[in-house]
Amino acid sequence: MHKILANTIYLGKDIHFLPECHSTNEEAYARYKTGKLREGSIIITDKQTKGRGQRGNQWFSEPGMNLTFSLILTPVFMDASEQFGLNMAVSLGIKDALSDYVSGIMVKWPNDIVHRDKGKLGGILIENSVSSQGIELSVVGVGLNINQLDFPFPNATSIAHLAGAKVDKEEIFKVVISRIEKYYLLLKRGKEKTIKNLYQYHLFRFGEMCTYNDGEDFTGQIVGISEQGNLIIEKINQTLHHYSFKQVKFV
Ligand code: BTN
């Protein structure tokens, strides 16, 4: 499994498989800092003992069943204020790849991959190191539920669950990396607008009247993503509100 990927131009040409580690994000960061990894390198594991999720949560994944990896990017061409562009590009790459296997896959703001009505399939944890020069390092952590069938929490699903059969996770891994590369190259070519339009097009709940909570429950519809990556919701009284990650919850 852990050879050089043949279907990419420069991502995944240096893949390090660890049978077990605390967190591939931590491992990738530490190894990059000591000069052992370069752009496109990947740390992948079968078992994380302290997998990290968004909002300081833990990421649980049944050992050997799913994909848990971190990819090193050095998008110095991006300004720190453009960080969300990377989230959108990576989300779209994953959405595209998984759509080869099952239908109904969508991106959910800010960093989730979901099935239209069956719940969460995966998440992305991007940790950036920024300077006045731009984004110097981006550790792109990806956790995708592939062959796991039982989940200890509600609202989670996997490709095998949706497809009704186990799938080849190594093959999916290759497709995911090549599609992330495709969207990353678009970003590199300055096509942020295209990325944003596609992200909004595939965005879970875009343009649907639903319930959210920003301290209290309210009804509104997602109408866009701001330059800073904030979620723009039009409330039922037609006022526009911009929310950062921790300011709004999907109910
Ligand atoms: C989320 O909370 O939805 C984001 C989950 C990200 C999990 C992945 S698994 C590989 C990488 N290493 C980590 O510790 N976290 C990310």
Side-chain angles (χ1 to χ4, degrees), residues 10-33:
Y10 72 107
L11 298 189
K13 299 296 179 194
D14 171 41
I15 300 174
H16 302 244
F17 172 70
L18 308 175
E20 176 177 333
C21 68
H22 282 345
S23 152
T24 56
N25 267 35
E26 274 176 28
E27 202 59 53
Y29 182 81
R31 290 183 187 213
Y32 180 81
K33 285 292 167 191

mmCIF file of all heavy atoms in Angstrom, residues 10-33:
data_model
loop_
_atom_site.group_PDB
_atom_site.id
_atom_site.type_symbol
_atom_site.label_atom_id
_atom_site.label_comp_id
_atom_site.label_asym_id
_atom_site.label_seq_id
_atom_site.Cartn_x
_atom_site.Cartn_y
_atom_site.Cartn_z
ATOM 1 N N TYR A 10 2.713 15.467 -7.894
ATOM 2 C CA TYR A 10 3.711 15.620 -6.824
ATOM 3 C C TYR A 10 3.210 15.352 -5.409
ATOM 4 O O TYR A 10 3.995 15.292 -4.487
ATOM 5 C CB TYR A 10 4.404 16.981 -6.921
ATOM 6 C CG TYR A 10 3.565 18.160 -6.533
ATOM 7 C CD1 TYR A 10 3.793 18.812 -5.334
ATOM 8 C CD2 TYR A 10 2.567 18.638 -7.368
ATOM 9 C CE1 TYR A 10 3.038 19.910 -4.968
ATOM 10 C CE2 TYR A 10 1.814 19.724 -7.020
ATOM 11 C CZ TYR A 10 2.047 20.363 -5.822
ATOM 12 O OH TYR A 10 1.293 21.437 -5.487
ATOM 13 N N LEU A 11 1.914 15.129 -5.215
ATOM 14 C CA LEU A 11 1.474 14.749 -3.872
ATOM 15 C C LEU A 11 1.585 13.226 -3.737
ATOM 16 O O LEU A 11 1.324 12.488 -4.689
ATOM 17 C CB LEU A 11 0.020 15.164 -3.624
ATOM 18 C CG LEU A 11 -0.299 16.669 -3.681
ATOM 19 C CD1 LEU A 11 -1.724 16.927 -3.206
ATOM 20 C CD2 LEU A 11 0.687 17.491 -2.870
ATOM 21 N N GLY A 12 1.964 12.786 -2.561
ATOM 22 C CA GLY A 12 2.020 11.345 -2.297
ATOM 23 C C GLY A 12 3.210 10.639 -2.923
ATOM 24 O O GLY A 12 3.156 9.430 -3.161
ATOM 25 N N LYS A 13 4.273 11.373 -3.179
ATOM 26 C CA LYS A 13 5.475 10.723 -3.731
ATOM 27 C C LYS A 13 6.382 10.223 -2.602
ATOM 28 O O LYS A 13 7.441 9.658 -2.851
ATOM 29 C CB LYS A 13 6.257 11.696 -4.630
ATOM 30 C CG LYS A 13 5.449 12.192 -5.836
ATOM 31 C CD LYS A 13 5.103 11.063 -6.792
ATOM 32 C CE LYS A 13 4.282 11.522 -7.968
ATOM 33 N NZ LYS A 13 3.683 10.403 -8.710
ATOM 34 N N ASP A 14 5.962 10.483 -1.375
ATOM 35 C CA ASP A 14 6.770 10.112 -0.208
ATOM 36 C C ASP A 14 5.771 9.772 0.911
ATOM 37 O O ASP A 14 5.264 10.665 1.586
ATOM 38 C CB ASP A 14 7.643 11.334 0.152
ATOM 39 C CG ASP A 14 8.372 11.177 1.451
ATOM 40 O OD1 ASP A 14 8.874 10.081 1.705
ATOM 41 O OD2 ASP A 14 8.453 12.167 2.205
ATOM 42 N N ILE A 15 5.478 8.478 1.044
ATOM 43 C CA ILE A 15 4.429 8.071 1.981
ATOM 44 C C ILE A 15 5.030 7.250 3.112
ATOM 45 O O ILE A 15 5.747 6.283 2.871
ATOM 46 C CB ILE A 15 3.343 7.253 1.252
ATOM 47 C CG1 ILE A 15 2.718 8.095 0.137
ATOM 48 C CG2 ILE A 15 2.255 6.790 2.226
ATOM 49 C CD1 ILE A 15 1.733 7.340 -0.730
ATOM 50 N N HIS A 16 4.724 7.671 4.337
ATOM 51 C CA HIS A 16 5.250 6.974 5.512
ATOM 52 C C HIS A 16 4.101 6.291 6.233
ATOM 53 O O HIS A 16 3.202 6.974 6.743
ATOM 54 C CB HIS A 16 5.910 7.969 6.477
ATOM 55 C CG HIS A 16 7.023 8.756 5.850
ATOM 56 N ND1 HIS A 16 8.333 8.667 6.257
ATOM 57 C CD2 HIS A 16 7.030 9.629 4.799
ATOM 58 C CE1 HIS A 16 9.095 9.447 5.510
ATOM 59 N NE2 HIS A 16 8.315 10.049 4.615
ATOM 60 N N PHE A 17 4.123 4.982 6.266
ATOM 61 C CA PHE A 17 3.074 4.243 6.984
ATOM 62 C C PHE A 17 3.543 3.915 8.394
ATOM 63 O O PHE A 17 4.622 3.356 8.594
ATOM 64 C CB PHE A 17 2.728 2.945 6.243
ATOM 65 C CG PHE A 17 1.810 2.075 7.048
ATOM 66 C CD1 PHE A 17 0.490 2.449 7.258
ATOM 67 C CD2 PHE A 17 2.279 0.897 7.625
ATOM 68 C CE1 PHE A 17 -0.355 1.660 8.029
ATOM 69 C CE2 PHE A 17 1.431 0.107 8.397
ATOM 70 C CZ PHE A 17 0.110 0.487 8.599
ATOM 71 N N LEU A 18 2.695 4.270 9.368
ATOM 72 C CA LEU A 18 2.994 3.920 10.759
ATOM 73 C C LEU A 18 1.864 2.995 11.231
ATOM 74 O O LEU A 18 0.697 3.371 11.127
ATOM 75 C CB LEU A 18 3.007 5.176 11.650
ATOM 76 C CG LEU A 18 3.886 6.343 11.190
ATOM 77 C CD1 LEU A 18 3.704 7.540 12.108
ATOM 78 C CD2 LEU A 18 5.338 5.899 11.163
ATOM 79 N N PRO A 19 2.197 1.811 11.731
ATOM 80 C CA PRO A 19 1.130 0.911 12.199
ATOM 81 C C PRO A 19 0.265 1.600 13.267
ATOM 82 O O PRO A 19 -0.935 1.376 13.342
ATOM 83 C CB PRO A 19 1.878 -0.286 12.780
ATOM 84 C CG PRO A 19 3.252 -0.214 12.198
ATOM 85 C CD PRO A 19 3.530 1.236 11.884
ATOM 86 N N GLU A 20 0.904 2.452 14.076
ATOM 87 C CA GLU A 20 0.185 3.130 15.169
ATOM 88 C C GLU A 20 0.904 4.430 15.504
ATOM 89 O O GLU A 20 2.125 4.510 15.407
ATOM 90 C CB GLU A 20 0.201 2.190 16.388
ATOM 91 C CG GLU A 20 -0.402 2.774 17.625
ATOM 92 C CD GLU A 20 -0.435 1.771 18.787
ATOM 93 O OE1 GLU A 20 -0.480 0.543 18.561
ATOM 94 O OE2 GLU A 20 -0.428 2.257 19.936
ATOM 95 N N CYS A 21 0.147 5.458 15.840
ATOM 96 C CA CYS A 21 0.759 6.697 16.349
ATOM 97 C C CYS A 21 -0.300 7.465 17.141
ATOM 98 O O CYS A 21 -1.476 7.112 17.107
ATOM 99 C CB CYS A 21 1.328 7.550 15.212
ATOM 100 S SG CYS A 21 0.108 8.275 14.115
ATOM 101 N N HIS A 22 0.125 8.508 17.845
ATOM 102 C CA HIS A 22 -0.852 9.318 18.585
ATOM 103 C C HIS A 22 -1.787 10.004 17.602
ATOM 104 O O HIS A 22 -2.998 9.880 17.667
ATOM 105 C CB HIS A 22 -0.140 10.389 19.416
ATOM 106 C CG HIS A 22 0.464 9.851 20.670
ATOM 107 N ND1 HIS A 22 0.148 8.642 21.187
ATOM 108 C CD2 HIS A 22 1.367 10.398 21.525
ATOM 109 C CE1 HIS A 22 0.813 8.439 22.298
ATOM 110 N NE2 HIS A 22 1.568 9.492 22.524
ATOM 111 N N SER A 23 -1.180 10.795 16.711
ATOM 112 C CA SER A 23 -1.953 11.593 15.761
ATOM 113 C C SER A 23 -1.067 11.824 14.546
ATOM 114 O O SER A 23 0.089 12.238 14.697
ATOM 115 C CB SER A 23 -2.326 12.933 16.420
ATOM 116 O OG SER A 23 -2.483 13.933 15.439
ATOM 117 N N THR A 24 -1.589 11.558 13.353
ATOM 118 C CA THR A 24 -0.759 11.766 12.155
ATOM 119 C C THR A 24 -0.447 13.252 11.973
ATOM 120 O O THR A 24 0.599 13.600 11.433
ATOM 121 C CB THR A 24 -1.445 11.209 10.886
ATOM 122 O OG1 THR A 24 -2.732 11.808 10.752
ATOM 123 C CG2 THR A 24 -1.554 9.695 10.927
ATOM 124 N N ASN A 25 -1.336 14.138 12.430
ATOM 125 C CA ASN A 25 -1.032 15.573 12.326
ATOM 126 C C ASN A 25 0.200 15.927 13.163
ATOM 127 O O ASN A 25 1.089 16.641 12.714
ATOM 128 C CB ASN A 25 -2.226 16.417 12.797
ATOM 129 C CG ASN A 25 -3.138 16.805 11.642
ATOM 130 O OD1 ASN A 25 -3.317 16.033 10.714
ATOM 131 N ND2 ASN A 25 -3.728 17.998 11.692
ATOM 132 N N GLU A 26 0.229 15.398 14.384
ATOM 133 C CA GLU A 26 1.375 15.678 15.268
ATOM 134 C C GLU A 26 2.647 15.112 14.676
ATOM 135 O O GLU A 26 3.695 15.762 14.647
ATOM 136 C CB GLU A 26 1.159 15.017 16.632
ATOM 137 C CG GLU A 26 0.373 15.875 17.580
ATOM 138 C CD GLU A 26 0.091 15.136 18.892
ATOM 139 O OE1 GLU A 26 0.867 14.261 19.294
ATOM 140 O OE2 GLU A 26 -0.953 15.458 19.490
ATOM 141 N N GLU A 27 2.551 13.879 14.199
ATOM 142 C CA GLU A 27 3.706 13.184 13.630
ATOM 143 C C GLU A 27 4.226 13.931 12.386
ATOM 144 O O GLU A 27 5.421 14.126 12.214
ATOM 145 C CB GLU A 27 3.233 11.775 13.263
ATOM 146 C CG GLU A 27 4.273 10.723 13.137
ATOM 147 C CD GLU A 27 5.095 10.489 14.391
ATOM 148 O OE1 GLU A 27 4.524 10.255 15.478
ATOM 149 O OE2 GLU A 27 6.319 10.557 14.254
ATOM 150 N N ALA A 28 3.294 14.362 11.525
ATOM 151 C CA ALA A 28 3.692 15.049 10.290
ATOM 152 C C ALA A 28 4.368 16.381 10.622
ATOM 153 O O ALA A 28 5.394 16.733 10.032
ATOM 154 C CB ALA A 28 2.462 15.276 9.402
ATOM 155 N N TYR A 29 3.807 17.110 11.579
ATOM 156 C CA TYR A 29 4.374 18.404 11.968
ATOM 157 C C TYR A 29 5.796 18.206 12.507
ATOM 158 O O TYR A 29 6.739 18.889 12.092
ATOM 159 C CB TYR A 29 3.486 19.082 13.017
ATOM 160 C CG TYR A 29 3.986 20.437 13.432
ATOM 161 C CD1 TYR A 29 3.733 21.551 12.638
ATOM 162 C CD2 TYR A 29 4.731 20.603 14.600
ATOM 163 C CE1 TYR A 29 4.218 22.807 12.999
ATOM 164 C CE2 TYR A 29 5.219 21.845 14.970
ATOM 165 C CZ TYR A 29 4.952 22.948 14.170
ATOM 166 O OH TYR A 29 5.439 24.180 14.525
ATOM 167 N N ALA A 30 5.946 17.261 13.434
ATOM 168 C CA ALA A 30 7.255 17.032 14.065
ATOM 169 C C ALA A 30 8.287 16.625 13.018
ATOM 170 O O ALA A 30 9.416 17.124 13.010
ATOM 171 C CB ALA A 30 7.125 15.961 15.140
ATOM 172 N N ARG A 31 7.916 15.733 12.119
ATOM 173 C CA ARG A 31 8.878 15.256 11.106
ATOM 174 C C ARG A 31 9.224 16.352 10.093
ATOM 175 O O ARG A 31 10.352 16.433 9.622
ATOM 176 C CB ARG A 31 8.321 14.037 10.381
ATOM 177 C CG ARG A 31 8.285 12.818 11.282
ATOM 178 C CD ARG A 31 7.793 11.618 10.528
ATOM 179 N NE ARG A 31 7.617 10.511 11.457
ATOM 180 C CZ ARG A 31 7.816 9.240 11.152
ATOM 181 N NH1 ARG A 31 8.180 8.896 9.937
ATOM 182 N NH2 ARG A 31 7.632 8.299 12.051
ATOM 183 N N TYR A 32 8.245 17.193 9.768
ATOM 184 C CA TYR A 32 8.532 18.291 8.829
ATOM 185 C C TYR A 32 9.543 19.253 9.459
ATOM 186 O O TYR A 32 10.485 19.702 8.814
ATOM 187 C CB TYR A 32 7.247 19.030 8.447
ATOM 188 C CG TYR A 32 7.507 20.164 7.485
ATOM 189 C CD1 TYR A 32 7.652 19.912 6.118
ATOM 190 C CD2 TYR A 32 7.640 21.472 7.934
ATOM 191 C CE1 TYR A 32 7.926 20.944 5.222
ATOM 192 C CE2 TYR A 32 7.906 22.512 7.045
ATOM 193 C CZ TYR A 32 8.043 22.241 5.692
ATOM 194 O OH TYR A 32 8.317 23.262 4.809
ATOM 195 N N LYS A 33 9.314 19.540 10.748
ATOM 196 C CA LYS A 33 10.172 20.506 11.440
ATOM 197 C C LYS A 33 11.615 20.012 11.548
ATOM 198 O O LYS A 33 12.534 20.804 11.679
ATOM 199 C CB LYS A 33 9.620 20.800 12.842
ATOM 200 C CG LYS A 33 8.402 21.711 12.803
ATOM 201 C CD LYS A 33 8.803 23.105 12.340
ATOM 202 C CE LYS A 33 7.601 23.961 11.986
ATOM 203 N NZ LYS A 33 7.934 25.207 11.302
#
